[in-house]
Amino acid sequence: MTHGRRTLRRSVTIVFLLLVAATLLAPATAAAVELKAKEQELFDLINAERSAHGVPEVRIVPVLYRSARQHSRSMIRYDYFSHDSWNGDSFAERIRAAGYSKKGYSSWRVGEVLAYGKGLPGTPQSVIDSWMDSSAHRKVLLRSGWRDCGVGRVYGTYNGVEGVAMYTVDFGHRIK
C-alpha cells in the first residue's frame, strides 16, 4: 500500500469516527422522535393555532414527548384524569424527573394541557377545538414563551369505556 492510500484510509477512518461520535454525543432533536399519526396531527394543529395567532411554533423535544406519553399511559392504566401523577407528583415534578430540568439553565418553565374522548370527541381536531374554546387552555397553548413540546396520546379503556383517546401535551422553555 502506498503512503498516499494509507493517509487517505486513515483520514476516512478518522472522519467516520468523528461522525459516529458527533451522532452519539449530539443533543436529541425532533428527528429522534417519531410521533404516531394522531400525535403528529395534534402537534401540527397546535403549531397551526400558534402561527395563526402570531406566536412562535414549538418543536418536539424527546424528553417531553416521553413524559407526555407516559402520563397518558398512566392515566389510562390507573383510571384517573389529573395533571398530578399517579404517585402524587405535580406535572412540573414529573417533567423534571423525566429529564427536562433547570440544571444548566438560568430559567425554566413548564405547562401542560390534558384531554380525553371517544369517537369524534377524541379526535385531534375536537381536542384542539375544545382547548381553544377554553380560556385557561387557550392561554397555555398560545403562551409565546414556549419553545419545546411533547405530545402523548394513548388509546385504551378509561372509566370502564373502551376506545378512549387520552392526550397529554407538555410544554417547556429553558434559557441558558
Side-chain angles (χ1 to χ4, degrees):
M1 188 182 286
T2 68
H3 176 68
R5 277 186 162 169
R6 217 175 327 186
T7 302
L8 178 62
R9 189 177 195 176
R10 188 174 299 134
S11 296
V12 169
T13 301
I14 290 170
V15 168
F16 174 76
L17 292 174
L18 288 172
L19 287 172
V20 169
T23 301
L24 293 174
L25 298 174
T29 64
V33 172
E34 189 169 323
L35 298 177
K36 298 197 181 296
K38 298 294 183 185
E39 292 168 336
Q40 183 67 53
E41 184 179 346
L42 183 59
F43 176 68
D44 292 343
L45 290 167
I46 289 167
N47 273 333
E49 288 292 346
R50 291 176 66 83
S51 290
H53 290 86
V55 180
E57 291 186 356
V58 291
R59 66 190 176 117
I60 293 294
V61 172
V63 70
L64 289 177
Y65 166 74
R66 288 188 297 272
S67 173
R69 195 142 213 290
Q70 180 55 43
H71 188 59
S72 290
R73 183 179 294 117
S74 175
M75 288 189 292
I76 288 286
R77 181 176 183 188
Y78 296 111
D79 208 31
Y80 75 103
F81 186 76
S82 174
H83 290 285
D84 291 340
S85 297
W86 176 248
N87 67 2
D89 286 348
S90 71
F91 73 89
E93 291 168 324
R94 174 174 34 82
I95 292 168
R96 186 180 299 114
Y100 192 85
S101 69
K102 185 179 177 181
K103 187 176 182 179
Y105 296 89
S106 64
S107 178
W108 178 87
R109 289 180 184 246
V110 292
E112 182 174 81
V113 290
L114 305 173
Y116 70 90
K118 178 179 176 169
L120 182 60
T123 64
Q125 186 64 60
S126 290
V127 167
I128 197 77
D129 289 346
S130 68
W131 284 337
M132 292 304 289
D133 287 342
S134 159
S135 61
H137 291 93
R138 180 185 180 99
K139 184 176 179 180
V140 173
L141 288 171
L142 299 180
R143 183 183 180 118
S144 63
W146 299 141
R147 296 295 179 264
D148 304 330
C149 182
V151 177
R153 177 190 180 268
V154 174
Y155 188 78
T157 301
Y158 173 69
N159 266 351
V161 178
E162 294 179 13
V164 171
M166 184 71 70
Y167 294 90
T168 302
V169 179
D170 289 334
F171 293 98
H173 185 133
R174 299 182 288 194
I175 299 173
K176 285 277 185 189

